[in-house]
Amino acid sequence: MNKITVIGVGYVGLVTSTCFAELGNQVIGVDIDQKKIDNLKKNIIPIYEEGLTELVKKNQENGNLSFTTDIAKAIKSSEIIFIAVGTPPMPDGTVNLTYVKSAAESIGKAMNGYKVIINKSTVPIGTGDIVKIIISQNYKNDFDIVSNPEFLKEGTAVADFMNPDRIIIGTDSLKAQKIVKKLYASQNSTIVNTDIKTAELIKYASNAFLATEISFINSIANICEKIGADVTKVSEGMKLDNRIGKKAFLNAGIGYGGSCFPKDVKGLIQIARENKVNFNILDAVEDTNSAQKQSLLPKIQSLLGDDLHNKNITIWGLAFKPNTDDTRESPALIIIKQLLDRNVNVTVVDPIAIDSVKLILKDTVTYETDLIKSVNNADCLIIATEWSEFKNVDLIEIKKSLKKPNVVDGRNIFDKKEMKNLGFNYLSVGR
Ligand code: NAD
């Protein structure tokens, strides 16, 4: 049993604190957001993540997990401190380290003995040194810094945390390495021991590589559309090459979004630039992704004509991917803005993300929960997120409800032949 403090209880910190509590540790989750902490104490969690609410409740009840805004008290009573605060991008693409620095200062001021400070936030190379300096300015005795980047995926975060593909432990201290290794012993995963900077770079390299795969297959999809080929078959054929692999991230669509890929691609571009390394591939990955996010509009216009004024269009899917309520950088928001700019009457549906989107879109769109009702009298249905609820819909009922049988599928969730046989005017991506 370890005494752990997790600073920042957002997507990563809340999952980290709860899962370590579930594994039998004594964990305190700390945040500067008083409302978030008040709600967490009542088992009201700020995000949608399968299985998380039950685990938060169970571990608060059995005393393994608690939440506070009192960072000093939490640090004093813990031997292991995780930093899991946000690292949002600045307008120029550099990473905003304000929250990490502020957490480091709070840690330094509260230190009362040897502790291991583990950074889980995605941070530019060299941030480990910055954290060390800030803590040393406030505390003169022994402590160790570890970089332990997080790879959980929103939507499957608890399962990913409990069964990670790998655990990266970046540190120069053998003592700290042993402590962190023991902490993760029950996860039974491959451990990569390395120095801090290498660990920090592994995170950026992984996310930027995944984003590159997405932009690559989207460019292939665009060729497919010109020559009449099928990108899903291209992807299937590619994945059978063992060097590419069955799980390769090669699903064509309307581009990546979320809080990580866009930010981390920008972050790595910045790291390359600062170190005078030519990494033009990443500029192309970004450009391709921005273009792909705009690719639905011409498809809609090819079905409805250029003038969309007063047309009724329904969007299924607001989250940047299924099984999350996260709409940060979601492609759906781009297409909605393009449609609203053209005076379209927009109706939106999402199984989980409606509440987070209401804060952004307010009353500019109509919110609907029933899939069949949502397309009533619509000129076109657009699929922007591949929720399984959408895949299993009764397409005959959808066709009856639509004013015109137009469907633009940005995530290739329907079978092209079936859609044609049912009489839809159906456009998808790269097929
Ligand atoms: P988030 O915005 O959901 O949560 C960050 C939390 O930190 C917020 O609750 C905020 O109030 C709190 N905070 C900020 N400053 C604080 C301080 N000084 N003391 C205490 N709390 C403070 O962010 P997130 O999505 O959990 O991401 C956190 C980090 O993990 C980022 O670096 C991100 O890139 C990385 N990451 C995110 C994911 C993901 O899927 N979201 C996956 C892997 C890695």
Side-chain angles (χ1 to χ4, degrees):
M1 192 268 285
N2 296 283
K3 290 185 169 181
I4 301 173
T5 282
V6 178
I7 306 177
V9 283
Y11 280 92
V12 167
L14 185 57
V15 173
T16 301
S17 48
T18 307
C19 290
F20 274 129
E22 176 67 12
L23 293 171
N25 299 288
Q26 279 285 317
V27 188
I28 309 174
V30 180
D31 209 286
I32 44 172
D33 184 337
Q34 183 71 54
K35 193 167 168 228
K36 201 179 255 188
I37 293 296
D38 290 346
N39 281 333
L40 281 168
K41 283 181 177 171
K42 292 182 247 165
N43 299 314
I44 301 169
I45 74 164
I47 52 170
Y48 172 80
E49 197 57 63
E50 208 184 321
L52 190 56
T53 307
E54 294 78 2
L55 286 186
V56 168
K57 187 167 184 286
K58 176 183 162 194
N59 285 285
Q60 285 207 93
E61 280 171 6
N62 69 20
N64 279 356
L65 180 64
S66 61
F67 296 100
T68 182
T69 51
D70 189 342
I71 188 163
K73 196 168 162 199
I75 287 164
K76 283 184 199 304
S77 66
S78 302
E79 296 133 6
I80 294 172
I81 319 287
F82 278 95
I83 300 179
V85 298
T87 48
M90 309 266 251
D92 67 353
T94 54
V95 174
N96 181 351
L97 280 180
T98 314
Y99 306 107
V100 172
K101 287 180 182 170
S102 150
E105 197 181 329
S106 305
I107 295 169
K109 286 183 176 155
M111 290 284 282
N112 57 347
Y114 175 82
K115 296 176 201 294
V116 183
I117 291 96
I118 308 173
N119 188 24
K120 248 196 190 308
S121 299
T122 304
V123 290
I125 320 308
T127 304
D129 293 339
I130 298 175
V131 169
K132 193 172 188 172
I133 291 167
I134 296 174
I135 296 175
S136 322
Q137 282 165 352
N138 295 280
Y139 179 71
K140 300 297 168 206
N141 291 321
D142 229 21
F143 65 92
D144 280 312
I145 302 280
V146 175
S147 167
N148 169 228
E150 183 51 58
F151 298 96
L152 60 76
K153 300 181 287 298
E154 287 177 21
T156 52
V158 173
D160 290 344
F161 191 92
M162 293 301 200
N163 298 294
D165 291 338
R166 76 295 211 190
I167 291 161
I168 310 294
I169 305 178
T171 182
D172 306 328
S173 152
L174 209 56
K175 182 176 172 186
Q177 190 191 89
K178 274 189 191 153
I179 293 172
V180 181
K181 199 174 165 192
K182 212 170 136 212
L183 189 61
Y184 281 109
S186 60
Q187 266 97 327
N188 228 347
S189 178
T190 305
I191 290 186
V192 178
N193 291 309
T194 183
D195 56 275
I196 295 180
K197 285 181 182 160
T198 305
E200 288 169 343
L201 188 55
I202 288 171
K203 176 65 192 179
Y204 278 101
S206 301
N207 271 2
F209 189 78
L210 293 169
T212 304
E213 286 187 285
I214 296 172
S215 280
F216 184 91
I217 202 66
N218 281 338
S219 296
I220 295 288
N222 293 336
I223 295 179
C224 288
E225 288 182 9
K226 300 275 184 203
I227 65 170
D230 182 341
V231 74
T232 51
K233 287 287 163 191
V234 176
S235 169
E236 187 185 324
M238 286 173 70
K239 287 181 186 178
L240 290 169
D241 185 325
N242 280 333
R243 293 165 302 176
I244 296 173
K246 284 190 204 115
K247 290 186 177 170
F249 227 41
L250 292 173
N251 294 328
I254 47 173
Y256 58 78
S259 68
C260 290
F261 286 3
K263 166 174 83 70
D264 295 346
V265 169
K266 279 191 177 64
L268 190 53
I269 289 173
Q270 198 59 33
I271 291 165
R273 211 167 273 159
E274 278 165 14
N275 290 286
K276 302 196 169 32
V277 171
N278 179 334
F279 211 154
N280 291 346
I281 296 170
L282 290 183
D283 295 313
V285 167
E286 267 209 310
D287 291 347
T288 305
N289 197 55
S290 307
Q292 204 64 17
K293 282 178 160 181
Q294 318 267 345
S295 64
L296 283 180
L297 184 65
K299 286 183 177 161
I300 298 164
Q301 285 172 319
S302 77
L303 293 175
L304 302 184
D306 283 351
D307 183 10
L308 297 177
H309 183 260
N310 255 341
K311 299 281 187 207
N312 301 323
I313 297 184
T314 301
I315 320 266
W316 284 3
L318 299 168
F320 82 95
K321 67 173 182 178
N323 305 317
T324 178
D325 60 347
D326 196 343
T327 57
R328 289 179 279 187
E329 306 249 0
S330 175
L333 297 182
I334 303 232
I335 183 65
I336 290 170
K337 181 171 184 319
Q338 287 174 322
L339 297 178
L340 291 175
D341 286 347
R342 287 163 180 76
N343 293 313
V344 171
N345 306 312
V346 176
T347 297
V348 299
V349 179
D350 191 285
I352 301 288
I354 289 279
D355 285 345
S356 49
V357 150
K358 272 186 182 163
L359 300 171
I360 307 165
L361 296 178
K362 303 201 166 74
D363 60 358
T364 57
V365 300
T366 303
Y367 301 93
E368 184 53 77
T369 49
D370 183 276
L371 293 180
I372 311 283
K373 271 195 210 153
S374 76
V375 291
N376 191 15
N377 210 27
D379 296 287
C380 186
L381 165 64
I382 294 167
I383 314 295
T385 316
E386 63 275 37
W387 285 92
S388 55
E389 284 88 337
F390 304 160
K391 291 180 189 168
N392 302 324
V393 75
D394 183 340
L395 288 164
I396 295 170
E397 288 303 312
I398 290 297
K399 184 153 178 269
K400 275 192 212 155
S401 191
L402 279 161
K403 183 158 78 182
K404 294 189 189 134
N406 295 321
V407 176
V408 178
D409 180 356
R411 299 296 182 180
N412 291 349
I413 65 169
F414 296 127
D415 184 84
K416 204 180 154 186
K417 257 196 202 139
E418 189 191 356
M419 293 301 277
K420 200 175 164 206
N421 290 343
L422 288 171
F424 284 101
N425 305 317
Y426 177 68
L427 293 177
S428 53
V429 181
R431 303 189 295 171

